[in-house]
Structures are given as C-alpha cells and as structure tokens.
Amino acid sequence: MLLKMPRGRLLLVQKSASLWMPRRMHSNETRTSGMASRAGTAITKGFFQFLGQITPICAAGGLFYMMIVRRQEEEDQRPVRQIITSQVPAIVGDFIERPVLFQNLQRLILDPDENMDFFVLITGNHKVGKSHLVQRVLQGHQGVFRVTLQDGQTIDSALHGVLGVENDAAMVWAFAEAGKQLGHRPVLLIDIQERVTDTKTLNSISNFCKEFGFEMKLAKVVVTASSAGTASFITGDDRRVDFFVPCFSLEELKKEKAQISKWYGQPVEDIEIDAVFDLAGGVVGDIQATFVQARKIGLGKALSDMKRKVQRDLQNYQCIDCSGGFGPGKVCLATWLAHQVAKSSFQQCFSSFELPFNPSQFGVTVRNLRAHPIYFDPNSSAYCARSPFVHRELGSIKSAKDLMKAARV
C-alpha cells in the first residue's frame, strides 16, 4: 500500500498535467509516462532512504530526551530521599539514662502531627546531655534531618547547602514531598553549637522556626542551644515550647555507680563521686570525661586538670564588670551577683525579679566571655553555681575596683 500511494499520486498529477500540456507533447505520451514513472520510483526510493537515515536519529533523540527527563526527576527526588532516609546516629558508648526527661521530650516531639503546632527549644548547660537525650528519643525513626549551624550562615543557606538545592522553593517542596511519602511530617533538628555567636545567624532561626514548623507545618522543628545567651535570640511567643535539661544531683549520680564504674574502669566509691561532683557539678559530660581520664592518668591528676579549668572560668567571669557588664545598659553587677549566689544555698540558688538585667543579657555576656561558673535555671528562675567548689569560690570574687587596685599595686 505504501509503495503504491506515491505512484498513484504521481499518476494523478500526470493526468491533470495533460490538460494544459502543448499538443506536441501528447505525441510522446508513452515516453513521457515512462520517464515520469521512473522519476516517481526514484523519488519514492530516495524518500524512504531518507526516512531510514533519520529514524535512528529521531529514536536516539527521543531516548536522549527521556534520559534528561528521568535525570531531572531523579535530581528533584534526591533531596526528598535525603530527608526521608535521614536518621539520628546510633548511640555509641554507655550513658546515664534519664527516664522522666526521656518520656516528657518523647511526648513533645512524637505527638501526632495535628497536635504539634509549635517548635521545641531545648536548652541546658554545655555537656549536660541535650544531644544524647534527643538521640535517645528519636532513635530508629526515619525522616530525622539534622543541620548544624556555623557562624556567618543563616538557617536557610545552611539547609540549601546540605540538601543541595538552590532556593527556598525547592527546599519547601522537598520537605512537603518527604512528608507525603513518609505519611507524617519529618523532624528537623537545628543544632546551635556553643561557638556560634553571630547575631545574623541566630536571628535567622526564630522566623524560620515559626514559618516552617508552625505556619507551613512542613516539619517538626527542634532546636538545641548550648547556652541561655544563644537561646535568647530565638523568640517564638506562644509558638515556642521550652524544654530545659537540668544538671544531675549528687543523689542521682550515686544511683548510677554501675555506669560510672564502667567509665572509670574499676568499682567507684562514693567518696570518689563526691570529689568529681564537687568540681564538675552535675554536668554529666564533664563527669564522664573526668572518670575516663582518671582511668588513664589517675583520679588525682584528672581532678587537678578539672580544677584548673574551673578556675579559668572563674577568672573570666571576674572580668565581666571590667568589660562592660551585662546588656546594653552596661550593668556592672557580675561581682554582686556572684556574692548573692554564694550567700544562697547551693541547691536553692539565688532568685530575684527586680534585677536591672535579664537572663538573656546575662547569658549573652557569659557566653561571649566563656565564663560559666554561674548559669540561669529557667525552671526555678534562679541563678545557680555550676558546682559546690564554684559556689565556695564565688564569695571571694573581687569587684572591678578591687581588681584595679590590685593591678596598680
């Protein structure tokens, strides 16, 4: 059929052409018809040769186009898969569990999606166990995406870099699509390290958390901050839920003698726990590090190293009043506050609602100077000494005037 169609069309052209051709051409009609037939055959043959040549090219072009489309789809899905398959790292080593805190945080983070119309801000002293607690709660859950902020980054730019996307629209789509495929909102962990002090970086988190977690509901947002000063930049009104991880009490530590003995490498005595707690307080990271070090160099040497570290903190704190005090009002009450904390019992701490500086201003100052002998406990709204040793030393901290006099002498 295909071979006859071109010739049939050609014959129609020949027939119609005979109506206007000069009469002398009709005398050669047979010869002309034969020539036309051969010409038609040649054209038909050339046409199909041409088709034979371009068909592989068209087929290859189609395959190439399909490859480009497939590659683009895979590229679009790459950040989605990255979110879906992300998990918190496996817990390595032995840690002291805190069942009550674990259950409370678990209820906050793993509530059904429709109940979570807030973001969670987790605070507590450096090395108190915040990250470990979050790991324990989210262990084994898929869709737990973690980003660590560095100075100079905004949270948006940090996420763009980790996900490999170019703009907010692609990031929003990736989290929304991940939520659809998971069947629930993914968890976004934002980890703010102690060394992060850049105001632009910290200010970017607050609006992001409110929009991403509360308004758009693209993820369950959990922020961990290593200091009260850092946390003060992350406002949230009623859309923020604070979760404070307190230090261990001495009684809690003594119930964990079996675990501490593993760190120490031998059975630990109450008197040894007392000695470490006296310097480190209830900061479990420092307690663990001290006993692990004691396993290698002896407890006496490990305690001496810890004492030097604590004394450096006290010296840094003593410089606050000389360096401008607390807040924009330059309230030089660091020495006064130290003395008030020293006068209060170690367990009860010092509480006052009529101070000319607030906990955020206090937190920013001690963070910037790396001076942490005193911390603010939001659960009791009180200023507390880091350890019993610090509590005893705070009463002997000299005022700025005394330091200047000593320097002149």
Side-chain angles (χ1 to χ4, degrees), residues 240-255:
R240 187 186 87 184
V241 172
D242 295 329
F243 190 90
F244 181 71
V245 181
C247 296
F248 281 86
S249 68
L250 181 59
E251 291 71 24
E252 287 175 318
L253 285 175
K254 287 186 176 180
K255 292 177 182 178

Side-chain angles (χ1 to χ4, degrees), residues 363-389:
V364 169
T365 302
V366 298
R367 181 203 64 185
N368 292 346
L369 289 177
R370 297 186 179 278
H372 299 284
I374 299 174
Y375 67 92
F376 181 76
D377 182 346
N379 286 345
S380 58
S381 298
Y383 293 89
C384 307
R386 181 184 177 94
S387 69
F389 173 81

Side-chain angles (χ1 to χ4, degrees), residues 285-299:
D286 286 339
I287 293 167
Q288 180 182 3
T290 302
F291 276 110
V292 169
Q293 188 183 22
R295 187 174 186 172
K296 302 173 183 176
I297 63 175
L299 187 58

Side-chain angles (χ1 to χ4, degrees), residues 98-149:
R98 309 184 79 172
V100 175
L101 288 176
F102 174 86
Q103 291 169 7
N104 290 341
L105 186 60
Q106 187 180 51
R107 281 195 295 268
L108 267 182
I109 299 178
L110 298 181
D111 251 7
D113 286 0
E114 61 271 13
N115 295 339
M116 191 169 180
D117 55 357
F118 51 83
F119 69 93
V120 181
L121 176 63
I122 302 175
T123 58
N125 284 358
H126 185 49
K127 296 184 180 180
V128 79
K130 300 182 297 297
S131 297
H132 169 70
L133 186 62
V134 172
Q135 279 183 266
R136 284 282 294 111
V137 168
L138 295 173
Q139 196 72 51
H141 290 269
Q142 276 196 313
V144 181
F145 194 76
R146 181 175 179 266
V147 61
T148 301
L149 282 183

Side-chain angles (χ1 to χ4, degrees), residues 64-291:
F64 181 66
Y65 173 76
M66 290 173 64
M67 287 173 60
I68 291 175
V69 171
R70 188 175 297 128
R71 183 173 296 177
Q72 185 60 51
E73 289 175 348
E74 290 176 355
E75 185 64 21
D76 290 341
Q77 286 294 323
R78 185 188 55 75
V80 178
R81 288 195 303 272
Q82 192 175 348
I83 296 168
I84 290 173
T85 58
S86 293
Q87 293 180 301
V88 294
I91 297 174
V92 179
D94 298 313
F95 295 87
I96 298 175
E97 303 296 342
R98 309 184 79 172
V100 175
L101 288 176
F102 174 86
Q103 291 169 7
N104 290 341
L105 186 60
Q106 187 180 51
R107 281 195 295 268
L108 267 182
I109 299 178
L110 298 181
D111 251 7
D113 286 0
E114 61 271 13
N115 295 339
M116 191 169 180
D117 55 357
F118 51 83
F119 69 93
V120 181
L121 176 63
I122 302 175
T123 58
N125 284 358
H126 185 49
K127 296 184 180 180
V128 79
K130 300 182 297 297
S131 297
H132 169 70
L133 186 62
V134 172
Q135 279 183 266
R136 284 282 294 111
V137 168
L138 295 173
Q139 196 72 51
H141 290 269
Q142 276 196 313
V144 181
F145 194 76
R146 181 175 179 266
V147 61
T148 301
L149 282 183
Q150 306 291 335
D151 262 344
Q153 288 182 312
T154 62
I155 179 61
D156 304 77
S157 64
L159 279 170
H160 292 174
V162 176
L163 287 172
V165 297
E166 295 181 356
N167 51 52
D168 286 350
M171 176 180 68
V172 166
W173 181 84
F175 272 94
E177 184 65 21
K180 289 179 184 177
Q181 295 186 28
L182 284 168
H184 59 79
R185 278 187 283 171
V187 176
L188 175 60
L189 295 179
I190 303 174
D191 190 10
I192 311 172
Q193 300 292 318
E194 187 184 27
R195 60 183 176 271
V196 175
T197 58
D198 183 63
T199 303
K200 180 182 177 182
T201 298
L202 297 173
N203 283 336
S204 73
I205 300 171
S206 186
N207 287 335
F208 176 87
C209 290
K210 287 181 279 190
E211 292 175 4
F212 215 72
F214 177 76
E215 295 171 7
M216 302 172 73
K217 290 183 170 55
L218 292 169
K220 296 179 177 181
V221 182
V222 180
V223 183
T224 59
S226 290
S227 71
T230 298
S232 68
F233 287 91
I234 307 168
T235 58
D237 307 319
D238 56 349
R239 291 168 287 189
R240 187 186 87 184
V241 172
D242 295 329
F243 190 90
F244 181 71
V245 181
C247 296
F248 281 86
S249 68
L250 181 59
E251 291 71 24
E252 287 175 318
L253 285 175
K254 287 186 176 180
K255 292 177 182 178
E256 304 294 340
K257 289 177 69 173
Q259 180 56 64
I260 295 173
S261 295
K262 290 182 181 179
W263 296 335
Y264 195 20
Q266 63 188 50
V268 67
E269 301 294 335
D270 282 354
I271 191 172
E272 293 171 317
I273 296 177
D274 290 340
V276 174
F277 182 83
D278 188 62
L279 285 170
V283 179
V284 68
D286 286 339
I287 293 167
Q288 180 182 3
T290 302
F291 276 110

Side-chain angles (χ1 to χ4, degrees), residues 304-321:
S304 296
D305 291 347
M306 172 61 72
K307 187 174 182 178
R308 280 194 293 270
K309 178 184 175 183
V310 173
Q311 287 173 332
R312 281 197 302 270
D313 262 7
L314 285 164
Q315 290 169 359
N316 291 342
Y317 182 88
Q318 196 167 236
C319 296
I320 290 176
D321 287 345

